[in-house]
Amino acid sequence: MSAVPDPDGDDLSRPGAQRYAAEWARAVRRLAFVPLSADETERLLLVHTVRLGQALLAPEFSAVAAEDVGRALVEAHLTEPRVLDWSVLALGDRFLARVLPGRVGEPEAADRVAALQGALAAGFARALRDRTFSQQERIARSAWQARDAVERALRDSEARFRAVFTGAAIGIGIAGTDGRIIDVNQSFAEMLGYTIEELRQINVASLFHADDAAGMWELYQELIEGKHDTVRVEKRYHRKDGSVVWTDLAVSLVRHDDGRPRFTVAMIEDITERYELQQRLRFQALHDPLTGLPNRTLFFETLGQLFGTAGPEQRIGICFLDLDGFKAVNDSLGHDLGDRLLVTIARRLADCVAGLGHLVARMGGDEFVILVDGGEGIDDAVGVAELALAAVSAPVLMGDQQLAVSASVGVVECPAAETSVSDLMKAADTTLYWAKAEGRGRWAVYDPERSAADIARSALAAGLPAALDRGEFVLHYQPIVSLLDGSMRAVEALVRWRHPELGLVGPDRFIGLAEETGLIVQLGEWVLGQACRDARAWHRDFPAAKLVVSVNLAARQADDPAIVDTVAAALDRTGLPAELLQLELTESAVMGTAGEPLRSLRRLAALGVRLAIDDFGTGYSNLAYLRRLPIHCLKLAGPFVEGIKAEEPDAPADHRDERIVDALVRLAHALELWVTAEAVETGTQAERLRALRCDTGQGRWFGPPEPAERITARLRGEVAR
């Protein structure tokens, strides 16, 4: 007997391992004959207990140790099936509690135990099968040698064969080349529920299972035709009572001296319990333990098979479903109720498409997927999505709680030849995101053009940080002109991205992305610094112009506690007088979320910086706060100015926008604020704004956004005049 390994490990319990081994030994001796003493049995099983514990604790898990333990049980002649049953069940029921109490409750430990159970059973079965096959080989050789022995030893050989044939624990049957059964032993008869005499009147083909019959008869025909000498398969047989038995079948061909097929010898072992255990383990591996639905592994296995067999015209659809606000259910009502809700939703989804033959799987969490196979177009897939949404939306009663549940569904449907498993699932995930973004309780259909736009947008967002580091951003400046004398009083700094592939990209394509990613603060700081440098150069070269540079501040920049220090630092670095810098903020940023002005405004005004409200009139301006803010300028929103048009000869006059502008200008002047009109596109608009006593204008009529050197040239021209 080899030395017993030390069971001490990271958390391997010595007393627990010994107790478990003792229980195992008592069970083995109770269930079967054991050719060892009690102490020898316990020491042997302690070795196996420790090996299983060490396998569970291994950093890189492998179930090979459990398979070796299964083989070792057979080698120790512990082959009673009930021994295997007890060993596998105990490994799942009490092993962790006895041997590794510190790992109880860990999902990974449970998964490893399940794998060890299967490996132990598989090792036991393979060892038993190999031993049986070895016995079969010996039996077959004995039979052949007996038939070929000399005449004077024939009687003794037949007697020995008959003893083996009659007393063998496995079933043995002899049949002619026409399939008629010649003889069987008692084990064979008991396995199939017949008497020996009944089986001698039966053709082997009548015993084949209906689902195997065609293939088995073809295999049997090849055997008796001499194409094979032996055949070994796992197959089903019908018992006399109609039930099914799974067997490990080995069939050998016995030939005449001249090589012609003479008869067949079949050796058959009942493996029904092992097969059912394997099926249970497979079900557990491929189904969600909470809902009982197929899991993502089985879903992808099925989807892959579908793609592998799909014809050129076959269409495949996916409905990817996610519950709306499920996290709130877990957080407010508890995970137990959340799990019960998931079970209810899973049952409803399975029921609503049961008659359509579609696969419903749980992908994890509150995500489910329906595989639409055999549909004729997107309408079929959308119909499934609507059925699913209707099933989910019905109120769910949980005890005294009635829950209103909704879901979002991403729908993808296309010919199988035009996509792949990964692309199909990626499209479904993207479409589910669209449905979520559009509101609750709805479905969205995949749109390749929208997806391409999203990908391009994501690519721009991903390239923003590197673009800032590489200096790919540039500033253009749009003139702000006096409506009284036509002189340029200010310029607004507008950022552009000189993209290496897309060319000059306008701010409408990337400013929103910069705000979403948080890069707007860094980008805004760069814009502020560059605008101050350009403005300082204009002030140095054209001091009389007193040109103001206007810089937009995003809401996140305005909320940044360091904004005042950032502006002060930019003025200090460039030497630009504070009164030549104007910061533009939106109405919502100025007023704040609760109608309060930003705390930083007064500190910015104290620096001497001018402050302007951009797009005034389109937000929710609070006039009571407006008169108390340190604001210097209001920039009228473009839509009001666009409404001021030259009257067509036959068109009725509509002066509503003009009256609104008049009121806003009067309001601003009453508050001693400067007024700039944006989006001035025509001379008529400029003339009417001048008549309304608007101070300055900005728009295409006065010049488009231009690089800094063009503004320099314009200033030089004004000085020359």
Side-chain angles (χ1 to χ4, degrees):
M1 180 72 66
S2 61
V4 178
D6 183 5
D8 289 338
D10 290 342
D11 53 357
L12 191 62
S13 167
R14 177 192 292 272
Q18 292 173 336
R19 275 199 311 276
Y20 185 88
E23 291 180 13
W24 197 356
R26 286 195 299 272
V28 166
R29 296 184 66 80
R30 184 179 71 251
L31 296 171
F33 170 76
V34 179
L36 300 171
S37 69
D39 289 341
E40 288 173 333
T41 305
E42 186 170 338
R43 284 198 298 273
L44 173 66
L45 296 181
L46 178 57
V47 171
H48 299 331
T49 300
V50 172
R51 290 192 68 188
L52 293 173
Q54 290 171 342
L56 275 171
L57 291 173
E60 294 186 6
F61 176 71
S62 171
V64 172
E67 187 171 348
D68 292 342
V69 170
R71 286 185 174 277
L73 292 177
V74 175
E75 290 169 0
H77 304 290
L78 305 178
T79 57
E80 171 63 33
R82 290 180 296 173
V83 171
L84 175 62
D85 288 346
W86 193 96
S87 302
V88 171
L89 292 174
L91 184 56
D93 292 341
R94 62 191 72 155
F95 186 85
L96 285 178
R98 297 280 194 276
V99 182
L100 295 167
R103 299 301 177 91
V104 173
E106 292 183 5
E108 183 181 4
D111 292 342
R112 289 187 174 190
V113 165
L116 292 178
Q117 287 179 294
L120 190 148
F124 186 97
R126 289 192 186 101
L128 188 61
R129 182 189 62 190
D130 292 344
R131 192 175 75 169
T132 301
F133 188 62
S134 178
Q135 292 174 344
Q136 293 171 354
E137 292 270 329
R138 290 196 298 271
I139 292 170
R141 284 197 300 271
S142 297
W144 300 333
Q145 290 169 358
R147 302 294 292 178
D148 295 333
V150 292
E151 195 64 33
R152 57 193 173 93
L154 181 59
R155 188 180 302 276
D156 293 339
S157 297
E158 288 182 352
R160 287 194 296 271
F161 173 75
R162 179 56 58 183
V164 171
F165 181 83
T166 303
I170 63 172
I172 303 176
I174 303 172
T177 56
D178 58 356
R180 185 178 60 82
I181 295 176
I182 298 172
D183 199 5
V184 297
N185 66 356
Q186 189 62 35
S187 296
F188 193 108
E190 291 174 355
M191 192 181 305
L192 297 182
Y194 291 91
T195 65
I196 293 176
E197 289 301 322
E198 286 175 331
L199 286 172
R200 287 173 178 165
Q201 308 301 317
I202 292 176
N203 191 290
V204 294
S206 64
L207 299 175
F208 295 161
H209 191 277
D211 294 340
D212 301 339
M216 278 304 302
W217 184 250
E218 181 179 343
L219 194 63
Y220 189 75
Q221 283 294 116
E222 291 179 355
L223 181 71
I224 61 178
E225 289 171 4
K227 295 180 180 179
H228 308 289
D229 283 333
T230 60
V231 172
R232 186 168 187 174
V233 293
E234 289 186 359
K235 73 169 305 294
R236 293 168 287 183
Y237 278 106
H238 286 297
R239 289 192 177 99
K240 183 178 181 180
D241 61 7
S243 61
V244 174
V245 56
W246 276 92
T247 68
D248 184 355
L249 171 67
V251 184
S252 300
L253 177 66
V254 179
R255 299 175 182 269
H256 288 282
D257 291 342
D258 59 3
R260 289 179 296 110
R262 187 175 181 184
F263 55 82
T264 60
V265 177
M267 301 182 187
I268 184 170
E269 177 189 0
D270 186 346
I271 60 168
T272 303
E273 291 185 0
R274 189 190 77 192
Y275 178 82
E276 290 174 349
L277 174 61
Q278 290 174 337
Q279 292 302 105
R280 287 197 300 272
L281 294 175
R282 175 172 171 78
F283 183 89
Q284 292 171 5
L286 298 178
H287 289 77
D288 175 48
L290 176 64
T291 64
L293 290 179
N295 60 15
R296 63 183 299 116
T297 301
L298 180 54
F299 170 77
F300 280 112
E301 182 180 298
T302 305
L303 187 59
Q305 292 171 353
L306 193 58
F307 269 91
T309 59
E313 302 300 323
Q314 184 170 346
R315 306 183 71 87
I316 296 178
I318 292 289
C319 293
F320 199 5
L321 181 145
D322 181 85
L323 300 184
D324 297 323
F326 181 72
K327 183 178 183 301
V329 174
N330 272 341
D331 292 344
S332 60
L333 301 177
H335 287 270
D336 180 61
L337 191 143
D339 287 348
R340 290 166 55 198
L341 174 62
L342 287 175
V343 172
T344 300
I345 296 300
R347 184 175 62 251
R348 288 183 179 182
L349 290 175
D351 290 345
C352 79
V353 298
L356 303 176
H358 303 317
L359 174 69
V360 181
R362 184 187 178 199
M363 299 297 282
D366 59 339
E367 291 183 341
F368 299 86
V369 64
I370 302 173
L371 176 57
V372 183
D373 178 22
E376 297 183 357
I378 189 62
D379 290 344
D380 288 346
V382 168
V384 171
E386 290 177 339
L387 284 174
L389 289 178
V392 170
S393 63
V396 179
L397 188 62
M398 295 286 177
D400 58 351
Q401 298 275 353
Q402 180 167 306
L403 304 179
V405 185
S406 67
S408 301
V409 182
V411 182
V412 184
E413 197 277 343
C414 63
E418 295 180 4
T419 186
S420 64
V421 171
S422 59
D423 289 343
L424 188 69
M425 293 309 299
K426 182 179 178 181
D429 189 59
T430 298
T431 312
L432 174 60
Y433 173 80
W434 294 345
K436 286 281 187 186
E438 292 167 3
R440 296 184 170 209
R442 65 182 62 204
W443 50 264
V445 174
Y446 180 68
D447 179 359
E449 293 184 3
R450 181 176 177 181
S451 178
D454 284 353
I455 293 172
R457 191 169 182 268
S458 298
L460 280 179
L464 279 171
L468 190 57
D469 292 339
R470 291 194 296 262
E472 293 177 0
F473 292 99
V474 296
L475 289 185
H476 285 188
Y477 297 92
Q478 186 166 37
I480 299 175
V481 175
S482 170
L483 291 172
L484 183 62
D485 59 15
S487 63
M488 186 167 57
R489 296 292 185 87
V491 290
E492 181 178 355
L494 301 169
V495 66
R496 303 288 189 267
W497 181 359
R498 200 177 299 281
H499 196 280
E501 297 176 1
L502 303 177
L504 199 63
V505 178
D508 56 313
R509 294 184 61 183
F510 65 84
I511 288 296
L513 297 176
E515 290 177 341
E516 291 175 11
T517 59
L519 193 68
I520 192 66
V521 174
Q522 292 173 260
L523 180 58
E525 188 172 338
W526 177 86
V527 170
L528 178 66
Q530 184 61 44
C532 287
R533 284 190 290 273
D534 289 339
R536 177 66 183 92
W538 292 323
H539 180 61
R540 183 189 64 236
D541 297 338
F542 310 101
K546 295 183 179 180
L547 188 69
V548 174
V549 64
S550 190
V551 177
N552 291 282
L553 286 187
R556 186 172 295 196
Q557 286 179 273
D559 288 339
D560 187 354
I563 184 61
V564 178
D565 295 335
T566 300
V567 173
L571 294 173
D572 289 342
R573 282 196 306 270
T574 60
L576 178 69
E579 65 271 15
L580 297 184
L581 174 64
Q582 177 172 280
L583 300 177
E584 296 186 17
L585 302 95
T586 62
E587 289 181 78
S588 58
V590 171
M591 296 304 169
T593 56
E596 294 288 340
L598 292 173
R599 292 187 296 272
S600 301
L601 287 182
R602 297 192 183 281
R603 293 178 59 203
L604 288 170
L607 293 176
V609 172
R610 292 171 56 85
L611 299 174
I613 297 180
D614 194 16
D615 289 331
F616 184 76
T618 60
Y620 49 87
S621 301
N622 186 323
L623 300 182
Y625 280 119
L626 186 61
R627 65 185 181 84
R628 291 160 46 193
L629 294 174
I631 300 298
H632 302 85
C633 177
L634 295 182
K635 298 188 72 174
L636 301 183
F640 297 130
V641 177
E642 291 171 2
I644 302 175
K645 302 176 182 177
E647 295 182 10
E648 298 179 7
D650 299 328
D654 187 351
H655 300 291
R656 286 178 294 181
D657 285 317
E658 189 170 327
R659 287 195 290 269
I660 291 173
V661 172
D662 182 31
L664 292 176
V665 170
R666 290 175 183 274
L667 170 65
H669 286 168
L671 296 172
E672 299 180 354
L673 300 178
W674 194 266
V675 182
T676 297
E678 297 182 294
V680 181
E681 303 291 328
T682 67
T684 299
Q685 290 172 335
E687 284 297 326
R688 295 198 179 186
L689 288 167
R690 183 182 299 111
L692 295 173
R693 300 180 62 192
C694 187
D695 300 297
T696 53
Q698 175 183 357
R700 291 283 175 178
W701 178 253
F702 301 110
E706 299 175 314
E709 55 269 21
R710 298 293 298 274
I711 299 299
T712 301
R714 183 163 176 166
L715 285 170
R716 188 175 293 114
E718 289 189 359
V719 170
R721 288 198 303 273

